[in-house]
Amino acid sequence: MADLVAEVRKIPPVTRFLLGSSIGVTFAARLNIVSPYNLVFLKEHVTRHFELWRLHTSMFLGSMQFDYIFELAMLYRNSNSLETMYYQGRSSDYAWQLIFACLAIILANRPLGSFSHNRPLLHALTYLSCALSPPGTQSSIMGLLTLPVAYVPYAMLGMDLLVSGVDVAAQSVSGLIVGHLWWWLVWGANTGAGGMERGPLADYARAPRWLRNWFGESEGVRGSFGAGYHVVPPRRQQTSARDTGHNWGVGRRLGGS
């Protein structure tokens, strides 16, 4: 049991929260602990009865079928990739941006009358992860199909259309749109692997101080790919300032061979 807890703690905090929410909400509905009716998004219940938990549970209510294993695996792979590579050391920024992405997904699905937003969230994370991946990267879908990473979101959309029909595919499209806007507005249209947020809303995508403190993160010099906030120790700065002369080498002893 201790080994399992240790492995779970290795998962970055936001990804761990997403996985825990998905497993908790989906299994609670699957085992009839909670009625799915009390977990889906119903506008009247949210706005009139203030059942605000539906905003959260509707994002993580899985398919409750065998393909849920695939959904959970994709959620872990994409979120873990984002948090450990592009948001390394600044999970608070990832969480802050994810909140707004979820709200955008809910708004985008209002014309569709969607009750669950699990698929759009998965597609938004997949799109952003693929958009930030190095060019030419290959990725596999369920270990059966290997594609250039740029085509993975559209391959998943095609699978949703073939397996689940037009309604689910339309929800998936909303997730792709949100993922594209996330990449374009926060990271910038020309940003790929190795870059940092340079989009029009990059400055607003920074987590507020209270959220950074909650994650135990301190604000310093913002890094680029795979880096968060770095603080250069004063001693290192002083050493660097002194080491400005010419390197004359180690020299040789007189009379030596």
Side-chain angles (χ1 to χ4, degrees):
M1 186 65 181
D3 293 339
L4 177 60
V5 173
E7 290 300 320
V8 171
R9 288 181 176 176
K10 292 180 181 179
I11 303 174
V14 178
T15 300
R16 187 166 62 239
F17 173 79
L18 296 180
L19 293 176
S21 296
S22 178
I23 294 173
V25 172
T26 302
F27 275 70
R30 190 73 178 90
L31 299 176
N32 293 320
I33 299 175
V34 180
S35 172
Y37 179 82
N38 294 323
L39 300 175
V40 298
F41 181 87
L42 297 173
K43 180 183 176 182
E44 293 75 13
H45 286 255
V46 174
T47 57
R48 296 182 181 179
H49 302 289
F50 301 103
E51 297 179 358
L52 301 181
W53 69 81
R54 294 179 183 270
L55 297 173
H56 172 260
T57 56
S58 66
M59 303 299 304
F60 300 102
L61 183 59
S63 62
M64 296 191 291
Q65 298 176 0
F66 181 77
D67 59 350
Y68 172 71
I69 298 176
F70 167 70
E71 295 177 0
L72 191 64
M74 290 295 294
L75 177 63
Y76 168 75
R77 186 175 74 172
N78 293 318
S79 181
N80 185 69
S81 174
L82 288 170
E83 192 170 3
T84 58
M85 297 174 66
Y86 310 105
Y87 293 93
Q88 182 181 4
R90 50 194 189 94
S91 295
S92 59
D93 283 353
Y94 179 41
W96 183 248
Q97 296 171 24
L98 191 59
I99 291 172
F100 287 97
C102 289
L103 293 176
I105 286 173
I106 293 175
L107 292 176
N109 277 266
R110 293 316 311 133
L112 303 176
S114 303
F115 299 112
S116 175
H117 306 116
N118 175 64
R119 296 298 295 182
L121 175 61
L122 180 60
H123 278 267
L125 294 175
T126 300
Y127 187 98
L128 182 62
S129 177
C130 292
L132 295 175
S133 296
T137 303
Q138 300 286 318
S139 181
S140 63
I141 299 178
M142 300 180 66
L144 301 175
L145 182 63
T146 301
L147 296 170
V149 71
Y151 300 133
V152 170
Y154 309 106
M156 291 178 57
L157 176 61
M159 292 175 59
D160 284 347
L161 180 61
L162 292 175
V163 175
S164 303
V166 176
D167 292 341
V168 174
Q171 297 176 24
S172 300
V173 170
S174 71
L176 294 180
I177 294 174
V178 171
H180 178 78
L181 292 175
W182 188 351
W183 169 65
W184 178 56
L185 293 175
V186 175
W187 287 87
N190 296 321
T191 303
M196 57 185 297
E197 293 101 314
R198 300 182 184 276
L201 300 181
D203 292 337
Y204 301 98
R206 296 274 306 276
R209 184 181 301 274
W210 64 266
L211 187 57
R212 293 200 305 270
N213 293 337
W214 193 79
F215 277 91
E217 299 170 357
S218 58
E219 183 177 4
V221 180
R222 196 169 192 176
S224 57
F225 167 76
Y229 298 93
H230 299 284
V231 177
V232 180
R235 182 176 299 175
R236 184 181 302 175
Q237 291 179 338
Q238 296 171 3
T239 303
S240 300
R242 291 196 301 265
D243 295 340
T244 57
H246 180 73
N247 183 7
W248 295 99
V250 296
R252 300 181 62 181
R253 297 181 58 188
L254 293 176
S257 55

